[in-house]
Amino acid sequence: MVIDGDTIEIHGQRVRLNGIDAPESSQLCDDAKGFRYHCGAKAAAALREFLSKSRPTRCQFVSWDRYGRYVGSCTRVDAVSVAGWLVENGHALDWPKYSSGAYASQQAAAKASKRGIWIGVFQAPWDWRTNHREAEHSPSKPPLGLVSPHALAQSWSCQPRRTCPQISSCDEANWYLNNCSWGGKLDRDSDGLPCESLC
């Protein structure tokens, strides 16, 4: 099962693909004509289609990341590297911090051929996450403290159980994440951002 452009799930185990970084689920990029599109969602869809053509996918453990996620090097049954394919087709970037440049040649080929995100303008996913978190904590947004916890408790409840499509705002998603026993399920890739289409 594909969670996002660089995370899959095999037999209930989430696996973060080693050495690459794909656009986040809610990240927007510009295409060749300057039109914005959901490049993170497009990367996930491309990965889903790629994996469906040769099953099963096999992963070799590399490490645990700082969020406690399993990080692995994965291949399809035909021995094609999943991370390498994503980078070569412009759906993810080589992440030198973790790859030591292992996918640099695939990235250069994708860039030269203007494949995937290279067709237009985009922000590296690691920079996008940093900027997104800074924007979330910007003083230009009214702090949650302006609404009393009692008022929040009256409008949002841990029952009935909710899913991201049922949630109407990032503040609501964060409230569930921090106050409900099941809230962690809203943060599918364990990056601290629940319901990334909203946050």
Side-chain angles (χ1 to χ4, degrees):
M1 180 169 91
V2 171
I3 305 301
D4 60 26
D6 52 31
T7 308
I8 60 176
E9 186 172 297
I10 300 175
H11 302 303
Q13 173 66 63
R14 289 217 176 161
V15 181
R16 176 68 164 77
L17 299 173
N18 183 51
I20 67 166
D21 201 9
E24 294 296 322
S25 299
S26 57
Q27 185 172 345
L28 297 173
C29 299
D30 292 342
D31 66 14
K33 295 181 179 179
F35 292 109
R36 307 218 94 184
Y37 70 100
H38 287 274
C39 47
K42 191 169 184 179
L47 176 57
R48 192 172 294 110
E49 182 179 349
F50 171 72
L51 293 179
S52 72
K53 291 180 178 175
S54 180
R55 291 181 172 158
T57 302
R58 295 187 173 105
C59 298
Q60 182 176 2
F61 176 78
V62 174
S63 67
W64 297 101
D65 73 5
R66 62 185 177 142
Y67 299 109
R69 292 178 296 187
Y70 179 111
V71 178
S73 290
C74 303
T75 58
R76 294 192 315 189
V77 73
D78 60 5
V80 176
S81 164
V82 177
W85 183 88
L86 284 164
V87 174
E88 188 173 339
N89 287 278
H91 299 301
L93 297 180
D94 174 61
W95 199 353
K97 180 177 179 181
Y98 299 104
S99 72
S100 301
Y103 304 104
S105 61
Q106 288 100 321
Q107 181 166 296
K111 185 176 182 180
S113 301
K114 296 188 181 298
R115 288 193 290 263
I117 57 178
W118 295 104
I119 196 168
V121 178
F122 64 91
Q123 189 172 29
W126 50 84
D127 291 333
W128 186 89
R129 285 191 299 273
T130 298
N131 292 341
H132 186 75
R133 286 189 189 111
E134 287 171 0
E136 282 294 312
H137 296 96
S138 166
S140 63
K141 275 189 119 178
L144 275 178
L146 295 179
V147 178
S148 74
H150 179 69
L152 282 176
Q154 284 185 330
S155 58
W156 299 329
S157 166
C158 290
Q159 298 295 331
R161 193 168 174 173
R162 308 225 177 202
T163 61
C164 289
Q166 298 172 314
I167 296 172
S168 59
S169 71
C170 184
D171 289 341
E172 183 181 2
N174 274 301
W175 190 88
Y176 292 133
L177 178 68
N178 294 312
N179 293 284
C180 301
S181 60
W182 50 265
K185 294 192 175 190
L186 300 177
D187 182 11
R188 296 184 311 165
D189 56 4
S190 302
D191 65 352
L193 294 174
C195 299
E196 293 186 355
S197 60
L198 294 171
C199 293

